[in-house]
Amino acid sequence: MSNRDWLLADSPTSRLQANVGRAYRVFTALMRNPLSVLGGVIILVLLLTAAFAPWIAPYSAVGQDLGNRLMPPSAAHWMGTDELGRDIFSRVVWGSQITLTIVLLVALISAPLGLLIGAIAGYFGGWVDRFLMGFTDIFLSLPKLILALAFVAALGPGINNAIIAIAITSWPAYARIARAETLTIRNAEYIQAVQLAGGGPVRLIVQHILPLCTSSMIIRVTLDMAGVILTAAGLGFLGLGAQPPLPEWGAMISRGRTFILDQWWVATMPGFAIIIVSLGFCFLGDGLRDVLDPKSEGKN
């Protein structure tokens, strides 16, 4: 039996074979979608740029050179320089670390929190469901950026507080998805079998319900990353996110808006970075939705 036959076996002989085979099918399906491939390449470039920023950036992200301030793009400065003579390309490269940090930490905080709240509400129902979903609806009824601004204003400006604020405003969407998934499976026969075998609510939720919500959660998290990047950039633009001299893309756009008519590159280059990375997450999220959504498996 070849490796491909082992991966695509209709009757896996072990859990490892089933999981690896599933991952292989997802990967091959994604590779057949050009936009998903493009999105994956963009995210891979972001990861590599953030990891190797010290070797990619030709200049310091904070070092000033007033003699070369507001220089247009050239061979020496690929994206030009800003009002303090700092190389914009180097600042965009170093800023990828900040963007990636925000994206990962927001996902690690908001997704598990929303997943747990939604699963508890969907499993227990009754007053627990009404209370948790009512609390969730309060957050959903407010614009995400306005709510994040309120939390940052209360916590104080800074990248750490911005991450906390964005995570607090992002979990309700995940809670809604997890609740919907839980409502569809909580009365399934295998759930009842676990209950008859003595499985308690904690075991049922953690070991049986939450894993089944993972696919939908991965799709939503990937699609939401573009919104997280834009929200973080909005906070940085307003001076409530990463503080100077950190090369955060939104803050760079804010400082460059003064020169937008004559020195367009100061604000445009970090803006392009935000657009490209956001598109990468959107393309990859759309591809994952087509592959992982059970409703689309028959079409694929």
Side-chain angles (χ1 to χ4, degrees):
M1 177 182 294
S2 64
N3 292 334
R4 188 174 185 276
D5 293 335
W6 184 82
L7 290 170
L8 299 178
D10 294 330
S11 300
T13 58
S14 65
R15 179 174 296 181
L16 174 63
Q17 184 180 2
N19 293 334
V20 175
R22 172 65 173 170
Y24 177 75
R25 290 185 177 90
V26 170
F27 177 76
T28 54
L30 284 175
M31 293 302 294
R32 289 194 292 267
N33 187 333
L35 290 180
S36 298
V37 175
L38 177 60
V41 170
I42 292 174
I43 303 308
L44 179 60
V45 171
L46 175 67
L47 294 172
L48 293 177
T49 301
F52 297 101
W55 295 273
I56 296 175
Y59 300 96
S60 169
V62 297
Q64 302 179 15
D65 183 7
L66 297 180
N68 288 319
R69 63 187 302 269
L70 299 176
M71 297 294 292
S74 63
H77 302 282
W78 294 351
M79 294 183 179
T81 60
D82 62 10
E83 75 281 4
L84 296 177
R86 297 174 296 192
D87 182 65
I88 295 177
F89 175 74
S90 299
R91 288 178 61 79
V92 169
V93 169
W94 283 102
S96 64
Q97 292 185 342
I98 299 176
T99 298
L100 191 61
T101 299
I102 293 174
V103 165
L104 292 178
L105 290 180
V106 168
L108 290 175
I109 295 173
S110 60
L113 177 62
L115 186 64
L116 183 61
I117 292 176
I120 292 174
Y123 178 79
F124 288 102
W127 68 267
V128 175
D129 184 25
R130 290 192 296 271
F131 173 77
L132 291 178
M133 288 301 101
F135 184 67
T136 301
D137 289 338
I138 295 175
F139 281 83
L140 289 174
S141 64
L142 299 172
K144 183 179 293 187
L145 181 58
I146 301 301
L147 191 58
L149 286 173
F151 281 112
V152 173
L155 298 173
I159 186 172
N160 294 331
N161 292 339
I163 292 172
I164 295 174
I166 298 172
I168 291 175
T169 61
S170 299
W171 68 265
Y174 306 133
R176 277 293 181 183
I177 294 175
R179 176 182 178 272
E181 294 279 353
T182 304
L183 289 176
T184 60
I185 62 178
R186 68 177 181 178
N187 295 323
E189 293 182 356
Y190 60 89
I191 296 295
Q192 296 177 357
V194 176
Q195 291 175 332
L196 292 175
V202 175
R203 176 184 173 186
L204 281 167
I205 292 174
V206 174
Q207 296 185 7
H208 299 279
I209 294 178
L210 292 183
L212 294 175
C213 301
T214 304
S215 296
S216 300
M217 200 59 54
I218 291 175
I219 298 170
R220 183 59 191 253
V221 167
T222 307
L223 289 172
D224 280 356
M225 290 302 98
V228 170
I229 293 173
L230 293 176
T231 302
L235 293 176
F237 183 85
L238 297 174
L240 298 175
Q243 298 298 297
L246 291 177
E248 197 275 324
W249 294 343
M252 292 172 64
I253 295 175
S254 177
R255 295 181 66 89
R257 61 180 174 173
T258 307
F259 315 98
I260 191 64
L261 296 179
D262 298 320
Q263 291 81 25
W264 53 269
W265 55 87
V266 180
T268 302
M269 296 306 180
F272 278 150
I274 294 174
I275 293 173
I276 292 173
V277 173
S278 298
L279 282 176
F281 279 110
C282 289
F283 289 156
L284 184 60
D286 286 337
L288 288 174
R289 180 179 57 193
D290 295 338
V291 174
L292 297 178
D293 188 359
K295 296 179 182 179
S296 64
E297 286 185 356
K299 300 178 182 179
N300 293 333

